[in-house]
Amino acid sequence: MQNDGAQPEAAVALAKEVKAFGLLDGLLLNAGQLLFSSSAGSTAEAFDTRIIMCEAAVLQMAALSLLQDGVSVVVSSLTAAYEGASVAALYAASKSAQLVLVCYWATEFASRRIRVNDLVPGSIDCNFLLSMPK
């Protein structure tokens, strides 16, 4: 099933599909979109898009009420939250917000023995990094 967590109706569609099979045994969440832009060159719309892309997608796709007790949730993030690249401030802000959500979820769902972790891999030396403005 293809599902876009940035769309409010996506959570409803996902829940309907999951309920047809039972509860989720685990969950891997990944969302994000990097557009090169300095903070000064960014707009409120660009900020909203980044935050909605990451946070709303993660919140809606999480479907935490559809998880069995004792399972794992892994949220995929990046070290962008720590690196300070001048052209990725909005992206880094959205990934930082993800890190905060993961910390709160880990506490909130501990009573159900649901483990919530954020996987934060470093950058991979590839053509994409070469295309980033300095």
Side-chain angles (χ1 to χ4, degrees), residues 3-104:
N3 196 282
D4 182 355
Q7 302 299 320
E9 64 277 3
V12 174
L14 177 64
K16 182 178 177 182
E17 289 292 322
V18 169
K19 286 178 182 176
F21 293 97
L23 295 176
L24 294 173
D25 296 325
L27 197 56
L28 171 64
L29 304 169
N30 182 41
Q33 181 184 39
L34 173 59
L35 297 176
F36 300 126
S37 176
S38 67
S39 295
S42 297
T43 64
E45 180 182 27
F47 178 79
D48 289 348
T49 299
R50 296 298 125 349
I51 295 300
I52 288 169
M53 173 76 63
C54 285
E55 277 38 78
V58 168
L59 285 168
Q60 291 175 6
M61 296 297 287
L64 293 169
S65 65
L66 300 173
L67 291 171
Q68 295 185 48
D69 289 353
V71 301
S72 294
V73 175
V74 177
V75 178
S76 174
S77 193
L78 284 174
T79 56
Y82 311 111
E83 292 173 350
S86 63
V87 294
L90 297 181
Y91 181 74
S94 68
K95 290 300 178 180
S96 296
Q98 271 187 354
L99 293 170
V100 171
L101 280 173
V102 166
C103 290
Y104 279 88

